[in-house]
Amino acid sequence: MATMNAFYAQSGGVTAVINASAAGVIETARAHPGRIGKVFAGRNGIIGALTEDLIDTSEEPAEAIALLRSTPGGAFGSCRYKLKSIDANRREYERLIEVFRAHAIGYFFYNGGGDSADTCFKVSQLSQAMGYPLQAIHVPKTVDNDLPITDCCPGFGSVAKYVAVSALEASLDVRSMARTSTKVFVLEVMGRHAGWIAAAGGLIEDEGIPVVVLFPEIPFDEQAFLARVDALVKQHGFCTVVVSEGAQYADGRFLAEQGARDAFGHAQLGGAAPVIAGLVREHLKYKFHWAVADYLQRAARHIASATDAKQAYELGVAAVEMALAGHNAVMPTIDRTSDTPYAYRIGMAPLANVANVEKFMPRDFITPDGFGITPACKRYLRPLIQGEDYPQYRNGLPVFATLKNVAVARKLPEFTL
Amino acid sequence: MATMNAFYAQSGGVTAVINASAAGVIETARAHPGRIGKVFAGRNGIIGALTEDLIDTSEEPAEAIALLRSTPGGAFGSCRYKLKSIDANRREYERLIEVFRAHAIGYFFYNGGGDSADTCFKVSQLSQAMGYPLQAIHVPKTVDNDLPITDCCPGFGSVAKYVAVSALEASLDVRSMARTSTKVFVLEVMGRHAGWIAAAGGLIEDEGIPVVVLFPEIPFDEQAFLARVDALVKQHGFCTVVVSEGAQYADGRFLAEQGARDAFGHAQLGGAAPVIAGLVREHLKYKFHWAVADYLQRAARHIASATDAKQAYELGVAAVEMALAGHNAVMPTIDRTSDTPYAYRIGMAPLANVANVEKFMPRDFITPDGFGITPACKRYLRPLIQGEDYPQYRNGLPVFATLKNVAVARKLPEFTL
């Protein structure tokens, strides 16, 4: 078998550990020089492939690649750029194959969420239709934790840990001030459609904190919510609310809708926390504070879950191993085999079963009243936030990798997006 | 000299390390059983003294007190309750002395910011006027870093570290997405009048991040701000804005004014970030995201500065030592003797010089254009965020102290606040 190069790209919103997957892919590819030539990365994700803007990762020393394991963000750049269907824009898919052919790329590693799994699957299909041999492997990544089949998604465990730790710390703050000051603290977290991230806030209940969680999956019932907050404040003196950015009324209106939409057509949200705080002020008259964690949560490499960072790396490794074993149009998965002690093995899912399927919180992970998480949910979440995988620090700040990102010489005519 | 008991109270907004000062006070008092009897803590701060709601800290095992060193929030409860002037409310001051007399309290340790230093000073004055021998020592604490004389205030270094680390992480996230997505990230941080916390965001400039800082000390110039952001985005592809909650227009209006006021009469703020983001959207049309850190920043014990945690403890120790040495109406201070290598000694300041003096950012710590920090400011800030003092973790979450907080039997009639 001829030695072919590999292409790796990061797609969609980045995470605290997506670069750990990149390290897994690159280091494993480097360990098989007879099978895989160079790893080219797409600058700014799939846009780099379309515009033939490739990064030669072989220019990076081993130490820089190793440092990716503890560097948040996307080291090669990511993008929100959704390829249309093959029928609607065959030109883009054919361009991808042209670029891959020009650079002798036989392996396509795409590191992203649900939309990207779909793209990866289509690229695989088209390469077969066009008679260009390409192995397309999807490396899962999403803080939203909404990919099917895999037990969890790299990036989620670290956000979950950030949310649980931050909500706990802020709750201790509020508890100590509640006598004369803030009684209700509202923390807004990510999660457009699925409430996995908000659910992590429910873990602080077992640390003695009265907490109300608002999930996108549960239509927001203002009266029930206010009654619950009021009861908790009357009982405990204070209460913490963890609200998903995707929390919505029964008619589908988001609590906070800013009007803007991203490239995938998703509404760009932000601002559910002040809406909730306003309700508390208006109807309950309790003093409140609110925080919106936004990017802080998904970038928080400083408090990454060791379990998550390890799995992100392992799935990068597994993707390359699957390619070397001849697989195509698949995604490595985390297959949990035990909650306590936590155990899992790496599985493999066909992309046909992954693309365009969103995994929501099961109803039995949410308490009957809709404001908390059940013991089953806690059993699910706890292993995912286990362990601290601290970055190195220098002069008080974490040491993060900044790569050289040397461009590969272009061989093709320009391409307009 | 008779063995007298001590009173300790936490006042105002709590921090990630105020409990470390409590540990310093209690452990040092316990080490001098012949001089200091029990340490009674005020439940919910000075309100506990007024209402004779005292906590007997001698009921807490040594391990619990030691764990306070890594526990955020106020372990005995704090409050926002400002005593009026002695003339306006002599009744409250006299009640304090009555309670101290009833419980044989000869030492008054008050752990707070500027307003509390003023209260501590007045209590000291009144005790002398009333012929009740009381040594009043103020233990400095404020994330705002605005106390005079001391080089820095416990609580500030940890917030500064949180802000610098979080802003850096989020900036790496934005940098990797900027090609097709968010180009301007806005982080709102605390600091009503002084821009010390916002200044910490300026440290990420040396990590290669284009950053604009908005200080309360510099009147907000919308045109100049938008021009600066636009130039940075055009040059770097993205830009991070760190805005103080206290940022204001030239006429003194805050960028975000919620209308509510706290017990000290301060406006309760929050929401400068969405205002800034709205300006960027309206005038520059760049895609934006914003975060409001709120309590997360001052409670973030998980990323506390080791320097800060150490100093918080040391000042608690020093306060007791000063009391034992016979001092009264004083505050232990951090006296910096060298930037590099960082060195300091513990000093002592008379409360007469501390009360009601706010320390703002010196103008020469802010760049001439008003949007960044100078090398002198960086030399000042860097030592304060040095070192990581991680809490212990169990099951993925930090192990924080929850005290028994056993009440001392009351001896006096009720008192109405």
Side-chain angles (χ1 to χ4, degrees):
Chain A
M1 195 188 294
T3 300
M4 299 291 283
N5 296 317
F7 175 79
Y8 167 82
Q10 302 176 321
S11 178
V14 292
T15 78
V17 299
I18 185 173
N19 287 329
S21 293
V25 167
I26 294 169
E27 290 181 353
T28 310
R30 286 184 180 186
H32 295 87
R35 301 285 306 284
I36 302 178
K38 291 183 171 184
V39 177
F40 298 137
R43 194 185 308 273
N44 301 313
I46 200 71
I47 287 179
L50 289 167
T51 59
E52 205 194 354
D53 193 355
L54 306 180
I55 290 165
D56 185 352
T57 69
S58 73
E59 297 279 343
E60 308 293 341
E63 301 72 39
I65 300 302
L67 193 54
L68 288 181
R69 287 183 74 158
S70 52
T71 300
F76 308 106
S78 183
C79 68
R80 295 202 180 276
Y81 186 86
K82 185 171 183 167
L83 275 71
K84 300 199 183 78
S85 73
I86 294 180
D87 290 341
N89 201 343
R90 192 174 184 90
R91 177 178 160 267
E92 284 188 341
Y93 290 90
E94 290 180 351
R95 167 70 175 188
L96 285 180
I97 303 297
E98 278 168 34
V99 170
F100 293 160
R101 194 191 305 265
H103 294 276
I105 288 165
Y107 308 96
F108 176 55
F109 298 106
Y110 205 30
N111 202 171
D115 287 318
S116 313
D118 181 55
T119 300
C120 190
F121 185 48
K122 284 175 182 152
V123 167
S124 163
Q125 288 178 306
L126 192 74
S127 75
Q128 294 188 326
M130 290 176 66
Y132 181 78
L134 185 76
Q135 287 172 257
I137 316 282
H138 190 251
V139 188
K141 166 244 64 167
T142 170
V143 294
D144 291 333
N145 203 39
D146 59 356
L147 290 174
I149 306 174
T150 187
D151 180 67
C152 60
C153 303
F156 170 67
S158 294
V159 175
K161 188 178 186 83
Y162 172 93
V163 167
V165 170
S166 299
L168 174 58
E169 290 175 332
S171 297
L172 294 194
D173 185 309
V174 173
R175 182 171 71 183
S176 52
M177 304 289 298
R179 174 73 172 76
T180 57
S181 183
T182 300
K183 289 184 171 54
V184 179
F185 176 68
V186 184
L187 172 61
E188 175 174 336
V189 301
M190 286 179 157
R192 268 196 181 78
H193 306 125
W196 296 105
I197 298 177
L203 287 171
I204 66 174
E205 185 186 22
D206 291 353
E207 309 297 314
I209 306 298
V211 61
V212 175
V213 182
L214 297 175
F215 305 92
E217 291 92 342
I218 305 289
F220 180 64
D221 178 339
E222 188 177 307
Q223 294 311 314
F225 166 73
L226 290 169
R228 180 83 181 119
V229 168
D230 199 27
L232 287 174
V233 172
K234 288 198 162 73
Q235 185 184 349
H236 300 275
F238 77 106
C239 145
T240 293
V241 179
V242 179
V243 55
S244 166
E245 63 175 345
Q248 51 196 277
Y249 296 98
D251 63 6
R253 273 179 310 128
F254 289 113
L255 266 63
E257 162 83 57
Q258 290 192 336
R261 290 187 179 269
D262 71 15
F264 293 128
H266 305 141
Q268 190 184 348
L269 305 175
V275 171
I276 290 294
L279 289 175
V280 168
R281 172 171 57 180
E282 187 182 338
H283 297 285
L284 302 178
K285 319 284 183 208
Y286 291 134
K287 193 158 184 288
F288 63 89
H289 258 250
W290 55 268
V292 177
D294 194 65
Y295 286 165
L296 304 190
Q297 69 200 287
R298 75 178 194 193
R301 186 60 185 78
H302 74 271
I303 187 64
S305 151
T307 303
D308 186 40
K310 178 168 175 281
Q311 291 180 342
Y313 181 80
E314 289 173 342
L315 290 174
V317 171
V320 175
E321 288 173 345
M322 286 173 186
L324 291 173
H327 296 290
N328 187 13
V330 294
M331 175 182 88
T333 58
I334 301 293
D335 296 354
R336 184 186 299 216
T337 54
S338 165
D339 289 331
T340 318
Y342 180 54
Y344 65 92
R345 56 170 183 251
I346 306 291
M348 185 169 71
L351 285 184
N353 299 347
V354 174
N356 299 313
V357 181
E358 253 178 311
K359 185 173 71 179
F360 300 103
M361 288 270 291
R363 187 59 184 86
D364 70 356
F365 272 24
I366 301 174
T367 52
D369 68 5
F371 295 128
I373 59 174
T374 60
C377 184
K378 291 173 184 172
R379 280 195 299 276
Y380 170 75
L381 290 173
R382 279 207 196 93
L384 307 184
I385 67 167
Q386 293 294 315
E388 296 69 51
D389 186 43
Y390 298 121
Q392 297 252 302
Y393 280 73
R394 189 173 50 218
N395 292 325
L397 290 175
V399 180
F400 293 140
T402 294
L403 302 181
K404 290 179 283 185
N405 285 350
V406 177
V408 177
R410 285 193 166 84
K411 301 180 175 186
L412 296 173
E414 257 191 51
F415 180 86
T416 310
L417 291 175
Chain B
M1 195 186 297
T3 299
M4 299 291 284
N5 296 317
F7 176 79
Y8 167 82
Q10 303 177 321
S11 176
V14 293
T15 79
V17 299
I18 186 173
N19 287 330
S21 293
V25 167
I26 294 168
E27 290 181 353
T28 310
R30 286 185 180 186
H32 294 87
R35 300 285 306 281
I36 302 179
K38 292 183 172 186
V39 177
F40 297 137
R43 195 185 307 273
N44 301 312
I46 200 71
I47 287 179
L50 289 167
T51 59
E52 205 193 356
D53 192 356
L54 306 180
I55 291 165
D56 185 353
T57 70
S58 73
E59 297 279 343
E60 308 293 341
E63 301 73 38
I65 299 303
L67 192 54
L68 288 181
R69 288 183 73 157
S70 54
T71 299
F76 308 107
S78 182
C79 69
R80 294 202 179 278
Y81 187 85
K82 185 172 184 167
L83 274 70
K84 298 200 183 79
S85 71
I86 294 180
D87 290 341
N89 201 343
R90 193 174 184 89
R91 175 178 162 269
E92 284 188 341
Y93 291 90
E94 290 179 351
R95 167 70 175 188
L96 285 181
I97 303 298
E98 280 169 32
V99 170
F100 294 160
R101 194 191 306 264
H103 294 277
I105 288 166
Y107 308 96
F108 175 55
F109 299 106
Y110 204 32
N111 202 170
D115 287 318
S116 312
D118 180 56
T119 300
C120 190
F121 185 49
K122 284 174 181 152
V123 168
S124 162
Q125 288 178 305
L126 192 74
S127 77
Q128 294 187 326
M130 290 177 66
Y132 181 79
L134 185 75
Q135 286 172 258
I137 317 281
H138 191 250
V139 188
K141 165 246 64 165
T142 169
V143 294
D144 290 334
N145 202 39
D146 59 357
L147 289 174
I149 306 176
T150 186
D151 180 68
C152 60
C153 304
F156 170 67
S158 293
V159 176
K161 188 179 186 82
Y162 173 92
V163 167
V165 170
S166 299
L168 174 59
E169 290 175 332
S171 298
L172 294 193
D173 185 309
V174 173
R175 182 171 72 181
S176 54
M177 303 291 297
R179 173 74 172 77
T180 58
S181 183
T182 301
K183 288 183 173 53
V184 179
F185 176 68
V186 184
L187 171 61
E188 175 175 335
V189 301
M190 286 178 157
R192 268 195 182 80
H193 305 126
W196 295 105
I197 297 176
L203 287 171
I204 67 174
E205 185 186 23
D206 291 352
E207 310 296 314
I209 305 299
V211 60
V212 175
V213 182
L214 298 175
F215 305 92
E217 290 93 342
I218 305 289
F220 180 63
D221 177 340
E222 188 176 307
Q223 294 311 313
F225 166 73
L226 291 169
R228 180 84 181 119
V229 169
D230 199 27
L232 288 174
V233 172
K234 287 197 164 72
Q235 185 185 350
H236 299 275
F238 76 106
C239 145
T240 292
V241 179
V242 178
V243 56
S244 165
E245 64 176 343
Q248 51 196 279
Y249 296 99
D251 63 6
R253 274 180 308 129
F254 288 114
L255 266 63
E257 163 82 60
Q258 290 192 336
R261 291 187 177 269
D262 70 15
F264 292 129
H266 306 140
Q268 189 182 352
L269 305 174
V275 170
I276 290 294
L279 290 175
V280 167
R281 171 171 59 180
E282 187 182 338
H283 297 285
L284 302 178
K285 320 284 184 207
Y286 291 134
K287 193 159 186 288
F288 63 89
H289 258 250
W290 54 268
V292 176
D294 195 64
Y295 287 163
L296 304 190
Q297 68 200 289
R298 76 178 195 195
R301 187 60 185 78
H302 73 271
I303 188 65
S305 152
T307 303
D308 186 40
K310 178 169 174 281
Q311 291 180 343
Y313 181 80
E314 289 172 344
L315 291 174
V317 171
V320 175
E321 288 173 347
M322 286 174 187
L324 291 173
H327 296 289
N328 187 11
V330 294
M331 174 181 89
T333 58
I334 301 293
D335 297 354
R336 185 186 299 217
T337 53
S338 163
D339 289 329
T340 318
Y342 179 55
Y344 64 90
R345 55 167 186 254
I346 306 291
M348 185 170 72
L351 284 185
N353 300 347
V354 174
N356 298 314
V357 181
E358 251 177 313
K359 184 173 71 179
F360 300 103
M361 288 269 290
R363 188 58 184 85
D364 69 355
F365 272 22
I366 302 175
T367 51
D369 68 5
F371 294 130
I373 59 173
T374 60
C377 184
K378 290 173 185 173
R379 281 195 299 277
Y380 170 74
L381 289 173
R382 279 209 195 90
L384 307 183
I385 67 167
Q386 292 295 315
E388 296 69 51
D389 186 44
Y390 297 121
Q392 298 252 303
Y393 280 74
R394 188 172 51 217
N395 293 325
L397 290 176
V399 180
F400 293 140
T402 294
L403 303 182
K404 290 180 284 186
N405 284 350
V406 177
V408 178
R410 285 193 168 83
K411 302 180 174 185
L412 297 173
E414 255 192 55
F415 180 85
T416 310
L417 291 177

